[in-house]
Amino acid sequence: MCGIVGYIGNRVASEVILKGLQRLEYRGYDSAGIAVINDDIKIVKVKGKVNMLVSLADDHNVSGHMGIGHTRWATHGEPNDVNAHPHTGATGKFALVHNGIIENYDVLRQDLEQKGHMFTGETDTEVLAHLIEEIHEMSDHDFFHSVQQALLQVEGTYGIAVIHKDNPDRIIVARKGSPLLIGVGENEHFIASDASPIIEYTKKVVYLEDGEMAVITSDGYEVSTLKDVLLTKEVHELAMSLEQIEKGGFPHFMLKEIFEQSDTIADCMRGRLMVHENRIQLGGLDGVVEKLANARRVIIAACGTSWHAGLVGEYLFEYLAHMPVEVEYASEFRYRQQLIDERDVMIVISQSGETADTLAALREAKKRGAMVLGICNVVGSTIARETDAGVYTHAGPEIGVASTKAFTAQVTILTMMAMLMGRETNVISDDYMRKLVKELRSVPAKIEEILKDTSDIEAIARLFTYAPNFLYLGRSYNFPVALEGALKLKEISYIHAEGYPAAEMKHGPIALIDEHMPVVVIAATDHTNDKMISNIEEVRARKGRLIAISSDGQSGVARHAEFNITIPEVHDCMTPLLTAVPLQLLSYYIAVNRKCDVDQPRNLAKSVTVE
Ligand code: M6R
């Protein structure tokens, strides 16, 4: 969702903040703003991208050595200049940026209006700014305690940073449900929603937990609970590098991240796929392997692309370990009749590790006694910290809003987990394990092979750039890939697309097929080959435009399809790791042809920290 950056030290604050907002822009990009203190509070904010804010800030004098900034993804109030953050109260002495939702903002607003406060916009955040001001003016609370008292009245979620004209030596921050970290430098400190804006200045970070507040000065920071209990926080060392969060010569982050996949999958397997020992070693699961293998059932909870990875996981666990698995949309899980208990194990999957719905499912499952394991990409994220155990995907920062390398890394982890479980449940013999290990090890090279020449995919993309609809069909392991292919196309090119299990086509979607309908058939699994050829024929008979993804050995498919994208052969259960790649590229090239903003598609945000 929204991104927050703050700085206090000797540098020019606006430079650090604006650059940081550009790095954070993938979290939200409908408006942006900055507030700095230099005698007075100076605020510049504007509807649109951070670049617009940068040019506007150039025209205004936003000098000063401390300040806060924000890039917004609208929840309450349309994206416009007024609703952009930072927000102030009536006196303009406080400025506040906020990520999250103040759920009781309406009641608070009415109460403040009765006390004479006038509001300029419709945001919940503006209400909080007025509330802090009201408390400060009407009581003897200092800056810190005014913020604290206001937060005690607030229901909902927040990551906030507040500055006060009369206390230009400090920034107050607080967190409940929206991530916030403190970057620790030499006589300077940073705040940010995630590490990307601060990585070039410091690698030392302190993560705030829910219910914590902090006073940040240039010389230090002091963290306490909302109830004034002082805390000693661990300082973590960031592993990410600046290079990882830059485009590295690619026109878009998404393309860079697609091309990184042979490396990210190799990284994901490093030290875990023990080829010579013919086994899987997942250090993050030490001590919980037996409990997982003996679970009454495994519930996988996630959202979006991570949910699609979870669906692949279901097939993998069932096939390789004979374990019962259910895959839930995290957003639905918590509103279901809760039948989960200590006999079950939940696996939550999240690239960002901050998705609010996934976090809520995790907490619900833990409350009911289930062990919860995580598959996360962002090290130190809330989900990673709250799970009982888990495995990092180590895919590096994913900046493109459309998830690509995170998906294949998640599926790689799930494949290794299922193999580990298959050994534990005695479903996988020594010989079969050897075969699986060898096949999985071959995946990075096979992805490189796919990426060597993308001209066929670019040509198909050119032909179908202006198609208004797309259908994606897959079976078995590749049914989730059909869903993922359709999601990729929808989110970055705004073309309506649907994914279906191939056999379901004749139960409805077949009515849509005519000579204008591109149908992408993911036919790369051997054990469903004949059935997929039948589906291809059904599409052809209705003049659908057929684009098949098939493997080297499936000449049958290639012969029947109008267009065919060939991938190297791999064990059926690992085909999603390969078939996902051409679909990512197809959606990427179509979106570029349509001149869409690939890395920052409209209405979307990288990490969805509101429910
Ligand atoms: O960070 P998470 O993996 O928890 O995010 C879940 C979804 O919001 C995410 O996968 C979303 O669907 C992406 N935009 C897909 O490309």
Side-chain angles (χ1 to χ4, degrees):
M1 300 279 91
C2 313
I4 291 175
V5 192
Y7 176 76
I8 184 159
N10 293 321
R11 299 173 200 260
V12 177
S14 60
E15 283 176 16
V16 177
I17 294 166
L18 292 169
K19 203 170 187 193
L21 290 180
Q22 278 166 325
R23 293 207 197 287
L24 269 190
E25 198 168 22
Y26 68 98
R27 297 180 71 94
Y29 30 83
D30 60 44
S31 52
I34 180 171
V36 292
I37 299 189
N38 193 359
D39 293 335
D40 213 343
I41 294 189
K42 180 100 188 166
I43 296 182
V44 183
K45 53 186 193 171
V46 65
K47 176 184 171 183
K49 302 262 172 127
V50 175
N51 278 346
M52 294 183 65
L53 178 68
V54 173
S55 19
L56 204 65
D58 271 353
D59 301 341
H60 293 70
N61 182 14
V62 283
S63 55
H65 298 285
M66 70 90 82
I68 52 178
H70 189 263
T71 173
R72 180 172 186 242
W73 184 87
T75 57
H76 292 59
E78 65 169 291
N80 59 27
D81 293 358
V82 175
N83 288 333
H85 300 212
H87 286 285
T88 59
T91 62
K93 283 187 166 186
F94 292 92
L96 164 74
V97 291
H98 167 223
N99 182 10
I101 296 179
I102 310 290
E103 285 165 4
N104 59 338
Y105 81 103
D106 210 19
V107 181
L108 294 171
R109 181 174 169 139
Q110 282 171 31
D111 186 47
L112 287 161
E113 275 169 345
Q114 275 171 11
K115 291 176 175 147
H117 288 255
M118 310 260 281
F119 291 86
T120 54
E122 299 103 48
T123 66
D124 49 336
T125 308
E126 193 185 353
V127 176
L128 184 54
H130 279 260
L131 183 60
I132 293 169
E133 182 186 79
E134 171 72 18
I135 293 169
H136 194 259
E137 300 284 305
M138 295 301 168
S139 70
D140 52 5
H141 287 307
D142 61 10
F143 175 27
F144 178 84
H145 289 97
S146 300
V147 177
Q148 180 199 59
Q149 290 306 308
L151 292 177
L152 289 171
Q153 295 184 39
V154 155
E155 285 163 23
T157 55
Y158 50 79
I160 58 161
V162 197
I163 56 175
H164 182 217
K165 179 179 174 289
D166 301 337
N167 286 277
D169 62 339
R170 60 198 54 213
I171 303 175
I172 308 291
V173 295
R175 171 197 163 137
K176 184 182 163 208
S178 283
L180 214 52
L181 54 84
I182 304 168
V184 182
E186 289 281 315
N187 301 320
E188 59 180 355
H189 284 84
F190 306 79
I191 49 168
S193 314
D194 67 46
S196 49
I198 63 168
I199 191 74
E200 65 185 282
Y201 309 108
T202 179
K203 295 214 161 184
K204 292 197 175 83
V205 297
V206 171
Y207 296 101
L208 280 194
E209 302 290 346
D210 282 355
E212 291 179 0
M213 291 182 71
V215 186
I216 320 253
T217 62
S218 48
D219 302 330
Y221 59 89
E222 196 172 88
V223 183
S224 58
T225 66
L226 270 184
K227 300 215 165 112
D228 267 342
V229 178
L230 272 183
L231 301 168
T232 308
K233 299 285 290 183
E234 190 183 344
V235 179
H236 295 259
E237 190 81 15
L238 291 170
M240 92 177 39
S241 68
L242 188 58
E243 200 185 36
Q244 284 178 306
I245 55 168
E246 292 188 331
K247 281 190 199 148
F250 285 89
H252 297 100
F253 281 111
M254 182 180 177
L255 192 63
K256 175 189 172 219
E257 287 157 7
I258 292 172
F259 272 81
E260 278 173 354
Q261 287 175 110
S262 66
D263 288 341
T264 50
I265 291 179
D267 289 346
C268 193
M269 299 188 310
R270 187 158 299 119
R272 294 163 166 177
L273 186 74
M274 315 299 272
V275 179
H276 299 301
E277 296 163 35
N278 196 31
R279 67 184 182 92
I280 301 287
Q281 162 76 48
L282 296 173
L285 299 187
D286 280 354
V288 300
V289 169
E290 203 184 321
K291 186 156 183 198
L292 175 59
N294 291 314
R296 175 177 62 164
R297 61 191 175 137
V298 174
I299 297 163
I300 299 180
C303 301
T305 289
S306 299
W307 182 75
H308 295 155
L311 286 177
V312 179
E314 180 177 23
Y315 286 92
L316 288 164
F317 272 71
E318 286 176 1
Y319 173 70
L320 294 175
H322 296 186
M323 287 171 67
V325 178
E326 286 166 28
V327 186
E328 301 277 356
Y329 280 117
S331 53
E332 285 297 309
F333 174 78
R334 58 189 302 217
Y335 299 111
R336 301 266 297 270
Q337 181 61 44
Q338 297 299 334
L339 301 173
I340 190 167
D341 62 33
E342 66 286 349
R343 292 168 294 177
D344 304 311
V345 172
M346 176 178 270
I347 301 175
V348 288
I349 307 175
S350 175
Q351 186 286 129
S352 62
E354 300 294 348
T355 300
D357 287 319
T358 309
L359 189 56
L362 175 171
R363 287 176 178 160
E364 191 64 49
K366 276 183 88 169
K367 201 167 80 191
R368 287 167 194 279
M371 177 172 81
V372 183
L373 308 179
I375 299 177
C376 290
N377 192 36
V378 177
V379 177
S381 55
T382 310
I383 292 177
R385 281 178 288 137
E386 289 200 18
T387 42
D388 296 304
V391 187
Y392 281 118
T393 47
H394 293 317
E398 190 182 64
I399 311 285
V401 165
S403 197
T404 52
K405 64 175 180 173
F407 174 76
T408 47
Q410 289 163 346
V411 173
T412 305
I413 298 290
L414 286 160
T415 309
M416 289 191 288
M417 277 175 94
M419 286 163 67
L420 182 65
M421 286 300 106
R423 292 297 274 164
E424 198 67 20
T425 54
N426 291 321
V427 173
I428 299 178
S429 66
D430 281 354
D431 281 353
Y432 194 43
M433 186 67 174
R434 208 159 285 119
K435 180 177 164 61
L436 291 170
V437 166
K438 189 166 159 241
E439 287 285 291
L440 190 55
R441 194 185 177 206
S442 74
V443 166
K446 288 174 179 167
I447 290 185
E448 231 164 77
E449 185 72 28
I450 296 171
L451 293 170
K452 220 186 273 167
D453 181 6
T454 59
S455 55
D456 281 3
I457 304 172
E458 289 177 63
I460 297 170
R462 275 193 295 277
L463 272 176
F464 294 105
T465 291
Y466 296 103
N469 298 290
F470 261 78
L471 206 55
Y472 286 73
L473 304 176
R475 280 176 187 260
S476 172
Y477 301 103
N478 284 300
F479 155 55
V481 180
L483 297 179
E484 176 59 10
L487 176 65
K488 286 291 86 88
L489 188 70
K490 271 186 277 215
E491 57 181 345
I492 61 167
S493 71
Y494 320 138
I495 294 175
H496 171 244
E498 290 193 51
Y500 267 94
E504 280 296 299
M505 175 183 66
K506 53 188 172 298
H507 299 287
I510 199 163
L512 298 169
I513 297 175
D514 62 15
E515 68 275 25
H516 305 297
M517 176 66 95
V519 182
V520 181
V521 174
I522 305 135
T525 36
D526 283 342
H527 77 285
T528 57
N529 191 42
D530 294 347
K531 294 274 184 270
M532 287 307 280
I533 292 179
S534 307
N535 296 136
I536 288 173
E537 284 307 321
E538 287 156 12
V539 173
R540 268 171 45 128
R542 284 149 190 94
K543 299 195 169 42
R545 309 295 305 274
L546 219 133
I547 304 157
I549 315 282
S550 68
S551 67
D552 279 335
Q554 290 175 307
S555 56
V557 173
R559 253 185 292 117
H560 289 78
E562 186 180 351
F563 305 96
N564 184 62
I565 299 166
T566 310
I567 58 159
E569 274 189 273
V570 72
H571 190 290
D572 272 3
C573 75
M574 294 164 197
T575 50
L577 293 170
L578 303 190
T579 52
V581 178
L583 298 188
Q584 295 165 350
L585 286 167
L586 183 65
S587 61
Y588 171 79
Y589 289 121
I590 289 177
V592 170
N593 294 344
R594 289 166 70 98
K595 307 214 173 343
C596 294
D597 191 342
V598 172
D599 283 336
Q600 294 173 355
R602 70 183 180 208
N603 303 338
L604 289 174
K606 182 69 183 163
S607 129
V608 183
T609 53
V610 292
E611 290 176 22

